Amino acid sequence: MNVLVAGGTGFIGQYLCEELHERGHDVTALAREPDPDDVPEGVETAMGDVTAYDSMEGAFEGKDTVVNLVALSPLFEPKGGNEMHEKIHTGGTKNCVRAAEEHGVDRFVQMSGLGADPDGPTHYLRSKGRAEGVVRDSDVDWTIFRPSVVFGDGAEFVEFTLKLTPPVLAPLPGGGKTRFQPLYVEDLVPMLADAAEDDEHVGEIYETGGPEVLTLAEVAELARRARGQSVRVLPVPMALAGVGLTVAGSIPGFPLGRDQYRSLQVDNTTDHNDVDAFGYDEDDLTTLAEYLDVTPVI
Ligand SMILES: NC(=O)c1ccc[n+]([C@@H]2O[C@H](COP(=O)([O-])OP(=O)(O)OC[C@H]3O[C@@H](n4cnc5c(N)ncnc54)[C@H](OP(=O)(O)O)[C@@H]3O)[C@@H](O)[C@H]2O)c1
């Protein structure tokens, strides 16, 4: 199979390109400035910007399947402001779907996120929700994934949590009680690859999460434990969220905007964990504590 992974040089993209390549497929990673060193040996790269149709549509020629991983992080305020979410997620997906349709690509796997909803509480979730609508309304055979946060080597979530929660005392909104269901990248990519290969996943929306639900405070505790440190989370009432924002905003290189702060107050867990559609039992999946090689939070 000839597969185009849009966003294939990113965190999840690199693992997925490797998985697909190991399964014997011809794989091309599309990005704005792809560095061949960012993809495994044997994976091709193509240059293109999903917000500029003419720059990227050629990469879709001759492909059987497209996986769209292009996105902005929900955790950092984008350069150019929050309107960029709409431009990249919704506009970029429109261009990818159009290019797939025009080049006769059969299969389209769309990476979304838990809580994606055109009426959602953040720019990220609204634009992701609209992007899902674009995919569902298209002529391609689609599959949509909505993962919780993904961890593994190269991920930003644990590092981000460490920045947000300095050792000893960390002020987090709502006491860090927002719930996440972290999923290990090496558990996720075989599911993405199966969806790219198998017709049985066409027309499905999969909510995927890891084996356990952890609060942000617990993620912080595990991350600090892995560094031989401890952290005590201070509850910050919602009304004082702006104070936390100011504190976070004062950390150099830490562009946490209001939208991103809001996203840390939205639970990120599955209603039903659809990993079973890929033959996984939740208990088979890697926990964050196992990955970090620390004792779990009880
Ligand atoms: N990581 C998580 O915890 C998580 C959780 C839930 C859902 N997801 C979703 O999973 C997908 C992949 O996430 P990730 O963490 O792997 O993202 P990532 O590391 O930020 O990678 C994004 C990729 O998209 C490319 N890209 C960005 N803007 C582009 C543009 N305008 N045109 C073409 N390529 C562009 C980037 O390369 P260049 O910058 O070089 O162009 C990079 O290859 C996203 O849809 C994300 O929303 C991730």
Side-chain angles (χ1 to χ4, degrees):
M1 207 166 66
N2 238 317
V3 191
L4 180 68
V5 182
T9 60
F11 161 52
I12 296 170
Q14 293 187 22
Y15 286 90
L16 179 62
C17 286
E18 181 153 24
E19 174 79 18
L20 289 166
H21 180 62
E22 279 175 3
R23 291 188 186 199
H25 301 300
D26 291 328
V27 185
T28 305
L30 173 83
R32 287 166 301 183
E33 287 180 17
D35 182 342
D37 290 342
D38 285 344
V39 292
E41 214 179 310
V43 171
E44 301 289 321
T45 56
M47 189 183 292
D49 183 335
V50 295
T51 65
Y53 186 75
D54 291 346
S55 77
M56 44 74 88
E57 57 91 18
F60 288 65
E61 180 58 33
K63 302 296 185 293
D64 305 300
T65 298
V66 168
V67 183
N68 180 20
L69 299 177
V70 174
L72 292 170
S73 168
L75 302 176
F76 297 98
E77 185 158 304
K79 278 187 199 142
N82 284 316
E83 298 68 37
M84 292 303 290
H85 286 292
E86 186 65 20
K87 195 170 174 192
I88 302 273
H89 298 143
T90 316
T93 299
K94 271 183 194 160
N95 282 337
C96 286
V97 164
R98 179 181 157 201
E101 287 174 341
E102 290 190 359
H103 288 279
V105 178
D106 296 330
R107 296 278 295 110
F108 195 99
V109 179
Q110 171 76 359
M111 191 68 139
S112 188
L114 279 180
D117 180 348
D119 299 318
T122 65
H123 287 276
Y124 176 86
L125 293 175
R126 287 192 290 277
S127 60
K128 282 282 197 185
R130 282 191 279 270
E132 286 191 6
V134 169
V135 173
R136 286 198 312 271
D137 292 344
S138 71
D139 293 335
V140 294
D141 285 344
W142 54 263
T143 306
I144 294 173
F145 278 81
R146 292 178 173 174
S148 186
V149 290
V150 183
F151 64 89
D153 293 359
E156 65 183 15
F157 183 62
V158 170
E159 286 304 312
F160 172 87
T161 309
L162 283 168
K163 272 191 183 171
L164 195 65
T165 53
V168 190
L169 278 180
L172 285 180
K177 288 190 179 137
T178 311
R179 298 157 76 240
F180 296 88
Q181 200 173 341
L183 175 62
Y184 185 42
V185 65
E186 294 191 31
D187 289 332
L188 171 65
V189 293
M191 301 183 219
L192 293 171
D194 285 357
E197 288 174 337
D198 300 337
D199 287 347
E200 67 181 277
H201 301 295
V202 170
E204 300 289 346
I205 299 178
Y206 293 121
E207 293 202 348
T208 51
E212 60 186 358
V213 171
L214 296 172
T215 64
L216 188 57
E218 287 169 338
V219 173
E221 202 177 320
L222 290 174
R224 284 285 159 212
R225 208 173 274 178
R227 295 194 164 194
Q229 298 166 334
S230 66
V231 63
R232 203 175 126 238
V233 171
L234 285 183
V236 177
M238 297 285 277
L240 291 181
V243 175
L245 179 59
T246 310
V247 171
S250 68
I251 301 170
F254 197 71
L256 186 75
R258 280 182 194 284
D259 210 52
Q260 291 66 39
Y261 204 77
R262 200 172 296 128
S263 74
L264 290 174
Q265 298 165 14
V266 181
D267 281 343
N268 200 253
T269 55
T270 59
D271 288 334
H272 173 270
N273 196 349
D274 293 321
V275 297
D276 53 3
F278 299 90
Y280 281 100
D281 189 288
E282 258 187 3
D283 297 337
D284 300 336
L285 302 173
T286 309
T287 66
L288 183 60
E290 282 165 354
Y291 167 71
L292 293 172
D293 199 16
V294 294
T295 49
V297 179
I298 298 157

